[in-house]
Amino acid sequence: VEFSVRRTAGKTTGALSYTLSRSERIFPDGSINNGEWFPFQYDRRHSVTASFTHRFNKNIDLGALWVFNSGNCITVPENMTEVIYPDPSSPDGFSHLLFFHITSRNNYRLPPSHRLDLSVNFRKQKKNGERIWTVGIYNLYNAKNPNFVIVDWDITESGKSFDYSTNLYLCTFLTALPFFSYTFNF
Protein backbone atom coordinates (compact mmCIF):
# COMPACT_ATOMS: atom_id res chain seq x y z
CA VAL A 1 0.00 0.00 0.00
CA GLU A 2 1.42 3.40 -0.95
CA PHE A 3 0.28 6.91 -0.13
CA SER A 4 1.76 10.04 -1.62
CA VAL A 5 1.06 13.77 -1.50
CA ARG A 6 2.87 16.43 -3.51
CA ARG A 7 2.89 20.18 -3.72
CA THR A 8 4.14 21.41 -7.10
CA ALA A 9 3.22 25.11 -7.15
CA GLY A 10 4.87 28.11 -5.51
CA LYS A 11 8.36 28.80 -4.22
CA THR A 12 8.18 25.89 -1.77
CA THR A 13 7.45 22.47 -3.24
CA GLY A 14 7.68 19.01 -1.78
CA ALA A 15 6.40 15.49 -1.44
CA LEU A 16 5.56 13.05 1.32
CA SER A 17 5.16 9.33 0.69
CA TYR A 18 4.55 6.28 2.84
CA THR A 19 4.77 2.63 1.83
CA LEU A 20 3.54 -0.35 3.83
CA SER A 21 4.76 -3.60 2.32
CA ARG A 22 5.54 -7.20 3.08
CA SER A 23 7.83 -9.48 1.11
CA GLU A 24 8.00 -13.14 2.04
CA ARG A 25 9.29 -16.31 0.37
CA ILE A 26 8.50 -20.01 0.56
CA PHE A 27 10.21 -23.00 -0.97
CA PRO A 28 7.58 -25.78 -0.90
CA ASP A 29 10.19 -28.46 -1.66
CA GLY A 30 11.66 -27.75 1.79
CA SER A 31 15.10 -26.84 0.44
CA ILE A 32 15.14 -23.56 2.39
CA ASN A 33 13.63 -22.94 5.84
CA ASN A 34 12.02 -26.42 5.89
CA GLY A 35 9.32 -25.31 3.45
CA GLU A 36 8.03 -22.59 5.82
CA TRP A 37 7.34 -18.94 4.97
CA PHE A 38 10.09 -16.48 5.90
CA PRO A 39 10.64 -12.73 5.44
CA PHE A 40 12.68 -11.99 2.33
CA GLN A 41 15.97 -10.11 2.61
CA TYR A 42 14.40 -6.87 1.34
CA ASP A 43 11.25 -7.05 3.49
CA ARG A 44 10.84 -3.52 4.83
CA ARG A 45 7.44 -2.98 6.41
CA HIS A 46 7.54 0.79 6.62
CA SER A 47 9.15 3.32 4.31
CA VAL A 48 8.65 7.09 4.65
CA THR A 49 10.17 9.73 2.38
CA ALA A 50 9.72 13.49 2.78
CA SER A 51 11.33 15.99 0.43
CA PHE A 52 11.06 19.71 -0.08
CA THR A 53 12.64 22.42 -2.19
CA HIS A 54 12.50 26.14 -1.57
CA ARG A 55 13.51 28.53 -4.35
CA PHE A 56 14.81 31.79 -2.85
CA ASN A 57 15.26 33.37 -6.27
CA LYS A 58 16.03 32.23 -9.81
CA ASN A 59 19.65 31.47 -8.87
CA ILE A 60 19.49 29.80 -5.43
CA ASP A 61 17.36 26.95 -4.10
CA LEU A 62 17.53 24.73 -1.02
CA GLY A 63 16.57 21.06 -0.98
CA ALA A 64 16.02 18.61 1.85
CA LEU A 65 15.27 14.88 1.87
CA TRP A 66 14.37 12.80 4.94
CA VAL A 67 14.16 9.01 4.63
CA PHE A 68 13.00 6.38 7.15
CA ASN A 69 12.99 2.61 6.52
CA SER A 70 12.29 -0.42 8.67
CA GLY A 71 15.35 -2.58 9.13
CA ASN A 72 16.34 -5.39 6.77
CA CYS A 73 16.11 -9.03 7.81
CA ILE A 74 19.24 -11.11 8.25
CA THR A 75 19.94 -14.66 9.36
CA VAL A 76 21.77 -14.96 12.66
CA PRO A 77 22.88 -18.24 14.27
CA GLU A 78 21.28 -18.60 17.69
CA ASN A 79 23.61 -21.22 19.05
CA MET A 80 26.76 -23.14 18.26
CA THR A 81 27.99 -26.68 18.90
CA GLU A 82 31.64 -27.64 18.89
CA VAL A 83 32.68 -31.16 17.97
CA ILE A 84 36.17 -32.19 19.03
CA TYR A 85 37.82 -35.29 17.61
CA PRO A 86 41.37 -36.69 17.68
CA ASP A 87 43.67 -35.40 14.95
CA PRO A 88 47.36 -36.22 15.22
CA SER A 89 48.27 -33.59 12.60
CA SER A 90 46.99 -30.61 14.65
CA PRO A 91 49.22 -28.90 17.27
CA ASP A 92 47.09 -29.93 20.27
CA GLY A 93 46.18 -33.37 18.86
CA PHE A 94 42.50 -32.47 18.26
CA SER A 95 40.42 -30.89 15.51
CA HIS A 96 37.51 -28.62 16.28
CA LEU A 97 34.41 -28.38 14.10
CA LEU A 98 31.81 -25.69 14.77
CA PHE A 99 28.17 -26.21 13.82
CA PHE A 100 25.83 -23.22 13.90
CA HIS A 101 22.16 -23.67 14.81
CA ILE A 102 19.64 -21.51 12.97
CA THR A 103 15.93 -22.00 13.70
CA SER A 104 14.64 -20.06 10.68
CA ARG A 105 15.81 -18.00 7.73
CA ASN A 106 16.00 -14.20 8.28
CA ASN A 107 15.26 -14.54 11.98
CA TYR A 108 16.60 -11.11 13.01
CA ARG A 109 15.50 -7.65 11.93
CA LEU A 110 18.01 -4.80 12.00
CA PRO A 111 16.95 -1.52 13.66
CA PRO A 112 15.25 1.08 11.45
CA SER A 113 17.42 3.48 9.45
CA HIS A 114 16.85 7.19 8.82
CA ARG A 115 18.75 10.19 7.57
CA LEU A 116 18.37 13.82 6.52
CA ASP A 117 20.14 15.13 3.41
CA LEU A 118 20.44 18.86 2.74
CA SER A 119 21.71 20.67 -0.37
CA VAL A 120 21.92 24.15 -1.89
CA ASN A 121 21.99 24.77 -5.66
CA PHE A 122 23.61 27.86 -7.15
CA ARG A 123 22.36 28.32 -10.71
CA LYS A 124 23.57 30.68 -13.41
CA GLN A 125 22.33 30.99 -16.96
CA LYS A 126 25.23 30.97 -19.44
CA LYS A 127 25.29 31.63 -23.16
CA ASN A 128 25.16 27.91 -24.08
CA GLY A 129 23.19 26.51 -21.13
CA GLU A 130 22.79 26.53 -17.38
CA ARG A 131 25.61 26.00 -14.85
CA ILE A 132 24.73 24.53 -11.43
CA TRP A 133 27.02 24.25 -8.41
CA THR A 134 25.57 22.06 -5.65
CA VAL A 135 26.85 21.91 -2.07
CA GLY A 136 25.31 19.69 0.57
CA ILE A 137 25.61 17.03 3.24
CA TYR A 138 24.29 13.47 3.40
CA ASN A 139 23.05 12.27 6.79
CA LEU A 140 23.11 15.75 8.31
CA TYR A 141 22.46 14.67 11.92
CA ASN A 142 24.94 11.75 11.66
CA ALA A 143 22.47 8.91 12.31
CA LYS A 144 24.25 5.66 13.17
CA ASN A 145 22.37 3.44 10.72
CA PRO A 146 23.59 -0.18 10.69
CA ASN A 147 25.34 -1.10 7.44
CA PHE A 148 26.39 -4.60 8.51
CA VAL A 149 26.44 -6.86 11.55
CA ILE A 150 29.29 -8.78 13.17
CA VAL A 151 28.28 -11.95 15.01
CA ASP A 152 30.50 -12.84 17.96
CA TRP A 153 30.26 -15.54 20.61
CA ASP A 154 30.74 -15.58 24.36
CA ILE A 155 32.00 -18.96 25.52
CA THR A 156 31.56 -19.93 29.17
CA GLU A 157 32.61 -23.21 30.72
CA SER A 158 29.99 -25.06 32.73
CA GLY A 159 31.34 -28.27 34.17
CA LYS A 160 32.58 -30.50 31.35
CA SER A 161 30.78 -28.55 28.61
CA PHE A 162 30.74 -25.05 27.20
CA ASP A 163 27.86 -22.62 26.75
CA TYR A 164 27.83 -20.33 23.72
CA SER A 165 25.85 -17.09 23.55
CA THR A 166 25.42 -14.88 20.50
CA ASN A 167 26.45 -11.21 20.50
CA LEU A 168 25.61 -8.87 17.64
CA TYR A 169 27.63 -5.75 16.91
CA LEU A 170 25.93 -3.26 14.59
CA CYS A 171 28.50 -1.46 12.45
CA THR A 172 28.11 1.90 10.75
CA PHE A 173 30.46 3.35 8.21
CA LEU A 174 28.26 5.86 6.37
CA THR A 175 28.09 8.85 8.69
CA ALA A 176 27.66 12.55 7.82
CA LEU A 177 29.26 13.16 4.43
CA PRO A 178 29.63 16.54 2.74
CA PHE A 179 29.49 16.70 -1.05
CA PHE A 180 29.64 19.13 -3.95
CA SER A 181 28.94 18.77 -7.65
CA TYR A 182 29.05 20.72 -10.87
CA THR A 183 26.40 20.31 -13.59
CA PHE A 184 26.10 21.97 -16.95
CA ASN A 185 22.75 21.66 -18.76
CA PHE A 186 22.73 22.53 -22.45
Side-chain angles (χ1 to χ4, degrees), residues 123-137:
R123 303 170 185 273
K124 186 165 186 176
Q125 195 64 41
K126 296 289 195 173
K127 183 170 56 170
N128 295 327
E130 180 186 34
R131 181 260 306 148
I132 306 170
W133 282 101
T134 304
V135 178
I137 187 164

Side-chain angles (χ1 to χ4, degrees), residues 19-147:
T19 303
L20 173 65
S21 65
R22 185 177 192 158
S23 179
E24 294 185 334
R25 298 289 188 266
I26 188 171
F27 291 79
D29 65 355
S31 60
I32 297 177
N33 206 44
N34 299 319
E36 300 290 324
W37 285 98
F38 63 92
F40 188 54
Q41 176 183 0
Y42 303 109
D43 177 44
R44 290 188 170 220
R45 297 294 159 90
H46 306 282
S47 181
V48 179
T49 303
S51 64
F52 100 96
T53 302
H54 180 76
R55 186 174 284 271
F56 294 102
N57 55 45
K58 68 178 186 170
N59 296 328
I60 300 174
D61 60 76
L62 172 75
L65 172 70
W66 183 75
V67 178
F68 171 89
N69 288 303
S70 297
N72 280 342
C73 293
I74 61 171
T75 302
V76 176
E78 289 115 17
N79 209 335
M80 177 174 58
T81 300
E82 184 175 13
V83 175
I84 303 170
Y85 62 93
D87 182 2
S89 64
S90 70
D92 66 352
F94 295 97
S95 281
H96 304 261
L97 286 176
L98 297 176
F99 293 96
F100 298 100
H101 299 280
I102 300 169
T103 55
S104 66
R105 177 69 67 111
N106 292 337
N107 57 353
Y108 179 78
R109 187 172 294 275
L110 292 169
S113 62
H114 52 87
R115 72 174 202 274
L116 175 65
D117 304 335
L118 196 63
S119 65
V120 179
N121 293 315
F122 300 96
R123 303 170 185 273
K124 186 165 186 176
Q125 195 64 41
K126 296 289 195 173
K127 183 170 56 170
N128 295 327
E130 180 186 34
R131 181 260 306 148
I132 306 170
W133 282 101
T134 304
V135 178
I137 187 164
Y138 295 111
N139 196 5
L140 180 68
Y141 53 83
N142 203 25
K144 303 289 189 219
N145 298 315
N147 297 105

